[in-house]
């Protein structure tokens, strides 16, 4: 098991170790999954990546089994997004280009059983976030192909008040942390969108073709599965672009494949915080194709995935 050097990120304020049983970490994650669908709350949080900070207010209202959320960006021009049942209802222009199926302040639901295939879960102590007592859990990857996490869950509600994404050396890649948090009733008026919040189509399903892309990956890190795929128009040309999405229950990345038709395009690689983008030219029987891998995985993993893409259909696991 690869152990994250906790001293790099924990400092001296976290009490160690109040808990030792891995079963305790599983139990807390199970509570988290239920809490996200049952708890109404209001809070203010900071979001940090690549040395850049932004602050936000967020409301969640759970009413008659339905979940509604509203997010306001507090820095710079006013920006907001409203979600109903996990789907984006509207967003202002400043946020429309950033919103995706998994916005940055939210994580997909965690499945401890699935996570155990690729991560070790450990409770490491108690902490205090936004003036509230929390328990701290480390989600440590079993290989070098994904990042680790440190989660601080509110003792009262089991909701995450702090999340750190960590590199293999313990370097902080991304921070989500509440500075104010209040559980309990939220008024429906708090969830109402402002006048500048315009309806926005986040999914490209209306533009995507129904057939699956005729591409597959010859290599994937253990635990990653094909989640979804389609064919969509290219924003830069008339060529169709194949899109495939992969995940391991926590980390996700996308693969885009576009025929070059003689276009001269250089390979490229970049990283901003935890997000990498790797573009590789590969040769096929039908001509060269540019493969681009984008996601929150290490650069070396993204490059290996890009070079492993081959013609032939993959089948989504869900």
């Amino acid at each position: 098991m690869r152990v994250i050097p906790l001293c790099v990120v924990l400092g001296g304020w976290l009490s160690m170790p109040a808990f030792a049983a891995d079963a305790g970490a599983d139990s807390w994650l199970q509570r988290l999954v239920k809490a996200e669908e049952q708890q109404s709350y209001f809070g203010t949080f900071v979001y940090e990546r690549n040395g850049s900070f932004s602050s936000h207010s967020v409301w969640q209202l759970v009413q008659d089994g339905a979940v509604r959320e509203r997010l306001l960006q507090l820095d710079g021009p006013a920006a907001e997004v409203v979600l109903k049942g996990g789907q984006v209802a509207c967003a202002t222009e400043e946020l429309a280009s950033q919103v995706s199926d998994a916005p940055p302040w939210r994580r997909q639901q965690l499945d401890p059983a699935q996570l155990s295939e690729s991560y070790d879960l450990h409770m490491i102590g108690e902490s205090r976030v936004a003036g509230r007592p929390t328990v701290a859990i480390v989600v440590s990857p079993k290989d070098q192909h994904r990042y680790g996490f440190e989660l601080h869950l509110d003792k009262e509600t089991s909701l995450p008040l702090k999340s750190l994404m960590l590199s293999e050396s313990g370097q902080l890649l991304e921070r989500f942390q509440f500075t104010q948090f209040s559980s309990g009733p939220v008024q429906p008026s708090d969830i109402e969108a402002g006048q500048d919040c315009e309806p926005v189509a986040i999914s490209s399903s209306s533009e995507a073709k129904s057939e699956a892309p005729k591409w597959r990956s010859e290599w994937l890190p253990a635990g990653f599965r094909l989640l979804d795929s389609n064919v969509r128009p290219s924003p830069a040309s008339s060529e169709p672009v194949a899109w495939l999405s992969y995940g391991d229950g926590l980390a996700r990345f996308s693969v885009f494949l576009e025929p070059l038709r003689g276009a001269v395009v250089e390979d490229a690689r970049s990283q901003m915080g935890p997000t990498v983008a790797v573009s590789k030219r590969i040769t096929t029987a039908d001509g060269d194709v540019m493969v681009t891998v984008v996601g929150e995985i290490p650069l070396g993993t993204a490059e290996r995935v890009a070079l492993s893409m081959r013609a032939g259909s993959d089948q989504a696991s869900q």
Side-chain angles (χ1 to χ4, degrees):
M1 179 189 73
R2 179 168 58 80
V3 179
I4 296 176
L6 296 175
C7 59
V8 176
V9 293
L10 295 181
W13 56 269
L14 179 62
S15 61
M16 299 268 297
F19 303 89
D22 291 350
D26 289 346
S27 175
W28 276 101
L29 289 184
Q30 294 285 4
R31 296 183 206 178
L32 166 59
V33 171
K34 295 179 180 179
E36 288 186 326
E37 297 180 348
Q38 298 174 353
Q39 294 279 350
S40 295
Y41 64 86
F42 162 75
T44 302
F45 67 87
V46 293
Y47 180 69
E48 174 193 2
R49 63 187 300 159
N50 202 39
S52 177
F53 289 82
S54 59
S55 56
H56 311 259
S57 288
V58 61
W59 294 261
Q60 174 164 300
L61 172 63
V62 180
Q63 190 174 51
D64 299 326
V67 180
R68 299 170 61 193
E69 299 156 278
R70 182 185 180 211
L71 176 90
L72 284 180
Q73 182 170 298
L74 304 178
D75 308 299
E80 74 175 304
V81 60
V82 174
L83 298 94
K84 296 181 179 180
Q87 300 297 314
V88 176
C90 70
T92 54
E93 183 178 353
E94 290 80 4
L95 283 180
S97 62
Q98 303 176 35
V99 180
S100 66
D101 292 334
W105 69 96
R106 292 176 55 83
R107 290 287 172 198
Q108 61 204 63
Q109 285 193 349
L110 303 180
D111 180 350
Q114 182 180 357
L115 291 183
S116 65
E117 298 179 19
S118 306
Y119 301 87
D120 290 311
L121 311 178
H122 296 285
M123 297 190 68
I124 56 172
E126 297 180 336
S127 64
R128 190 164 174 264
V129 180
R132 300 172 66 92
T134 65
V135 295
I137 297 173
V138 161
V139 183
S140 180
K142 294 181 177 180
D143 59 35
Q144 73 275 25
H145 298 304
R146 65 209 87 214
Y147 297 130
F149 288 84
E150 181 188 313
L151 303 176
H152 295 246
L153 306 184
D154 183 44
K155 280 190 173 182
E156 178 185 342
T157 66
S158 302
L159 291 169
L161 299 187
K162 179 178 177 179
S163 171
L164 305 178
M165 185 187 296
L166 309 170
S167 71
E168 63 276 7
S169 63
Q171 176 189 4
L172 177 64
L173 299 174
E174 180 183 72
R175 176 195 302 270
F176 161 90
Q177 181 171 340
F178 276 97
T179 58
Q180 178 186 2
F181 182 86
S182 177
S183 62
V186 170
Q187 299 302 315
S189 58
D190 293 329
I191 306 296
E192 293 301 320
Q195 60 181 5
D196 295 327
C197 196
E198 299 289 339
V200 57
I202 302 305
S203 172
S204 59
S205 58
S206 61
E207 300 177 356
K209 297 181 180 179
S210 58
E211 69 265 22
K214 297 180 180 179
W215 290 92
R216 59 184 172 82
S217 55
E218 282 198 339
W219 177 86
L220 287 173
F224 278 91
R225 301 173 178 85
L226 181 66
L227 304 177
D228 198 5
S229 63
N230 62 37
V231 178
R232 55 182 65 180
S234 168
S237 72
S238 59
E239 294 292 338
V241 176
W243 167 76
L244 303 97
S245 174
Y246 297 90
D248 68 354
L250 187 59
R252 296 180 71 168
F253 65 86
S254 292
V255 181
F256 302 89
L257 303 105
E258 181 172 7
L260 292 176
R261 307 300 186 204
V264 179
V265 181
E266 298 294 329
D267 290 357
R269 52 183 286 174
S270 64
Q271 181 165 2
M272 179 173 291
T275 304
V276 301
V278 172
S279 294
K280 293 287 186 181
R281 178 193 291 263
I282 63 173
T283 299
T284 74
D286 295 325
D288 286 358
V289 172
M290 181 58 73
V291 181
T292 300
V293 179
V294 179
E296 295 181 342
I297 54 176
L299 270 169
T301 302
E303 290 183 330
R304 188 171 175 183
V305 169
L307 294 173
S308 77
M309 300 306 295
R310 298 290 185 270
S313 296
D314 238 334
Q315 296 295 323
S317 62
Q318 61 182 21

